[in-house]
Amino acid sequence: NCLRWHNNESRQHILKKLDICIELKELKHDFITEAIFINNSRADVVDLTTGEIYEILCSEEEKDFYEKIKNYPKCFRIIKVKV
């Protein structure tokens, strides 16, 4: 339940990630930011309570989003968040 980000993320991206984390914390959910899976794919926010991944799109194109989520474990529901 902590916020992590990378230097290459935009301010807009980080603030949206923070908004999601605040909401999940208020709901008393457990979450991970910048979760790294066995295949080295990385998700913005993983809600461990509901099994959902929040993927934040700022400057990424739709095709990049769909390519990225192919590598996520199938047990998660993916939520696309446009900024």
Side-chain angles (χ1 to χ4, degrees):
N1 286 1
C2 67
L3 178 64
R4 292 180 161 192
W5 68 87
H6 291 281
N7 290 338
N8 62 341
E9 291 180 331
S10 70
R11 179 178 177 82
Q12 202 176 24
H13 187 97
I14 295 166
L15 291 175
K16 179 47 83 174
K17 193 185 302 185
L18 175 61
D19 287 342
I20 292 167
C21 291
I22 289 170
E23 184 176 332
L24 293 176
K25 188 87 168 150
E26 288 173 351
L27 294 170
K28 299 189 183 332
H29 287 208
D30 292 319
F31 60 87
I32 300 172
T33 58
E34 295 303 313
I36 302 173
F37 300 107
I38 292 172
N39 64 4
N40 286 325
S41 60
R42 184 185 304 257
D44 288 322
V45 181
V46 178
D47 183 340
L48 299 172
T49 305
T50 61
E52 296 172 326
I53 293 175
Y54 293 84
E55 193 56 46
I56 302 164
L57 281 71
C58 286
S59 59
E60 300 87 355
E61 294 184 25
E62 290 284 323
K63 64 178 178 147
D64 296 329
F65 164 77
Y66 288 108
E67 197 61 38
K68 184 175 186 179
I69 65 171
K70 285 181 187 176
N71 297 312
Y72 291 162
K74 304 301 179 219
C75 59
F76 290 100
R77 179 175 168 252
I78 313 298
I79 299 172
K80 178 173 42 173
V81 181
K82 290 189 176 183
V83 178

